[in-house]
Amino acid sequence: MLEERLDRWRALAERPAARLAGKVARIAFFVGMIAWMVLKVRAIGWRDVVASLPVNPLFYILFVVGFLILPASEIAVFRTIFGRALPGAFPILIRKRIYNSALVGYSGELYLFVWLRRVIGLPSKTIAIGLKDNAILSALASGVVTLALLV
């Protein structure tokens, strides 16, 4: 019964109108995020935001490196979990990180789940278990590091 429903949803998603609606929704979502950020910065004040930016270029270098470490390490982690290479995963993992931090926690995992199902073709259950295991191990590692720093 569930498989029949999934087949109906897949057939619906393949229609040209559904594809167009998906593209429009993605664009509207992106424009909405930009508008939301502009409104938030505007509420603070553009001059105040610009005045508070660091002036040392080393900050920006370290910020970019620090930001990219997680997606780069996740390539190796997910390659190990799923037992195969993930071509083109780096930009997807960057987007996952942005979704998790800028939207709702674990929304990036949902995005990654959809991408993995489409690209590597593993069963949904296998992908969900792999993502769950990664989230649990990541939380455990964060807890251990926090505990070590407190000690």
Side-chain angles (χ1 to χ4, degrees), residues 29 80 87 93 95 97-98 103-104 114-115 119 124 129 136 139 142-143 147 150:
F29 180 74
T80 302
L93 292 170
R95 194 171 296 166
R97 175 147 193 201
I98 292 169
L103 293 175
V104 177
V114 171
W115 182 82
V119 171
S124 297
I129 290 170
I136 290 170
S142 296
L147 184 63
L150 286 174

Side-chain angles (χ1 to χ4, degrees), residues 98-147:
I98 292 169
Y99 285 166
N100 281 341
S101 62
L103 293 175
V104 177
Y106 296 107
S107 59
E109 269 69 22
L110 178 61
Y111 178 77
L112 181 61
F113 174 86
V114 171
W115 182 82
L116 285 169
R117 195 177 67 204
R118 190 170 27 108
V119 171
I120 66 172
L122 287 174
S124 297
K125 185 176 180 180
T126 303
I127 295 171
I129 290 170
L131 292 176
K132 174 198 55 104
D133 290 349
N134 179 60
I136 290 170
L137 290 173
S138 177
L140 183 64
S142 296
V144 168
V145 169
T146 301
L147 184 63

Side-chain angles (χ1 to χ4, degrees), residues 16-150:
R19 287 180 180 262
L20 179 62
K23 285 182 183 181
V24 168
R26 282 192 297 274
I27 291 169
F29 180 74
F30 179 75
V31 169
M33 283 184 59
I34 298 297
W36 180 78
M37 291 185 342
V38 167
L39 289 172
K40 291 295 180 183
V41 172
R42 197 167 156 223
I44 296 169
W46 289 96
R47 284 192 178 134
D48 291 337
V49 170
V50 171
S52 68
L53 292 174
V55 293
N56 190 339
L58 185 60
F59 169 83
Y60 297 101
I61 294 168
L62 291 175
F63 178 81
V64 169
V65 168
F67 185 84
L68 295 178
I69 284 175
L70 180 63
S73 66
E74 284 184 328
I75 289 174
V77 168
F78 287 123
R79 184 182 303 140
T80 302
I81 288 174
F82 297 121
R84 61 181 67 185
L86 304 173
F90 192 64
I92 301 303
L93 292 170
I94 290 173
R95 194 171 296 166
K96 170 190 166 287
R97 175 147 193 201
I98 292 169
Y99 285 166
N100 281 341
S101 62
L103 293 175
V104 177
Y106 296 107
S107 59
E109 269 69 22
L110 178 61
Y111 178 77
L112 181 61
F113 174 86
V114 171
W115 182 82
L116 285 169
R117 195 177 67 204
R118 190 170 27 108
V119 171
I120 66 172
L122 287 174
S124 297
K125 185 176 180 180
T126 303
I127 295 171
I129 290 170
L131 292 176
K132 174 198 55 104
D133 290 349
N134 179 60
I136 290 170
L137 290 173
S138 177
L140 183 64
S142 296
V144 168
V145 169
T146 301
L147 184 63
L149 290 172
L150 286 174

